[in-house]
Amino acid sequence: MGKVTLEAKSRTESGKKAAKALRAAGHIPAVVYNSSGEAKMLDVDATEFNKIWRSVTSTTLITLTVDGTAHEVFIKDVEYNIRTDAVLHADFWEPATDKEIVLKMKLQYSGTPAGVLKGGFLLKHIPEVTIKAKPAAVPERIVLDIAKVNVGEKFTVADMPAMDGVTVLTPAETSLVSVSAGR
């Protein structure tokens, strides 16, 4: 995915009444937290936020422009109404760009294992791995090709391809998927 940008304005009013007024005007109340825990209240256009939120992952670095100043942020949390699917509030997190961060990343798999094509059963052991990287090096997704896994074999963390600037903290011998023999 290309560079993702979002415009925001600072806001001073807080509380239910101010949030309802923002939502009625087509905006979302939001907060951006920096690496030292300080928070700044924001006003984000609801339509623009929804376009971005529906197409990115929690590890996509977004350029958030607040009153003309650019910040590299992640979407940390989104509160939404489950009945109307309308976003009620958003939290952004701005990590320090010069320090590594530790994240848990969900794994996605591509390809049908050779062992499954021969009648075996695919077993997924863990859904995510822990990584350490600078914010700009964090991948949006980790997609692993498991097409070569045969019956009786396993795909471990050590079998993952290397990623530039990313250290996988999950032990190398940890099994991610395996194919067991059919009955």
Side-chain angles (χ1 to χ4, degrees):
M1 181 171 220
K3 191 142 177 102
V4 180
T5 59
L6 182 65
E7 296 282 330
K9 295 183 287 189
S10 294
R11 66 182 170 99
T12 54
E13 293 183 14
S14 63
K16 285 184 182 181
K17 190 174 183 179
K20 282 184 180 182
L22 272 178
R23 290 185 199 110
H27 295 265
I28 299 169
V31 176
V32 62
Y33 297 94
N34 64 15
S35 58
S36 58
E38 297 166 347
K40 184 176 188 178
M41 295 188 305
L42 304 175
D43 168 358
V44 179
D45 182 77
T47 306
E48 292 302 313
F49 180 79
N50 278 315
K51 285 180 192 174
I52 291 172
W53 179 53
R54 305 274 185 212
S55 63
V56 300
T57 67
S58 61
T59 56
T60 302
L61 205 56
I62 298 169
T63 302
L64 181 68
T65 307
V66 181
D67 300 328
T69 307
H71 302 272
E72 298 296 317
V73 300
F74 294 108
I75 296 176
K76 185 167 179 72
D77 191 29
V78 176
E79 180 185 344
Y80 64 96
N81 184 325
I82 59 172
R83 289 185 188 151
T84 63
D85 204 32
V87 175
L88 302 174
H89 187 273
D91 287 343
F92 298 98
W93 175 55
E94 179 182 16
T97 56
D98 58 337
K99 294 181 181 172
E100 290 184 321
I101 56 176
V102 176
L103 297 167
K104 288 188 182 282
M105 291 209 50
K106 292 201 181 291
L107 299 171
Q108 295 178 357
Y109 302 103
S110 68
T112 302
V116 170
L117 295 174
K118 296 175 184 172
F121 294 101
L122 177 66
L123 300 171
K124 294 180 182 178
H125 298 283
I126 62 170
E128 59 192 17
V129 292
T130 304
I131 64 164
K132 182 166 115 177
K134 288 191 176 179
V138 174
E140 279 189 46
R141 293 175 172 81
I142 298 178
V143 182
L144 303 172
D145 182 13
I146 56 172
K148 295 181 181 175
V149 181
N150 238 318
V151 174
E153 295 179 349
K154 58 186 174 180
F155 190 96
T156 65
V157 171
D159 298 325
M160 292 175 61
M163 296 174 277
D164 291 338
V166 176
T167 306
V168 179
L169 301 177
T170 304
E173 66 277 358
T174 304
S175 290
L176 301 176
V177 297
S178 62
V179 177
S180 64
R183 295 185 190 241

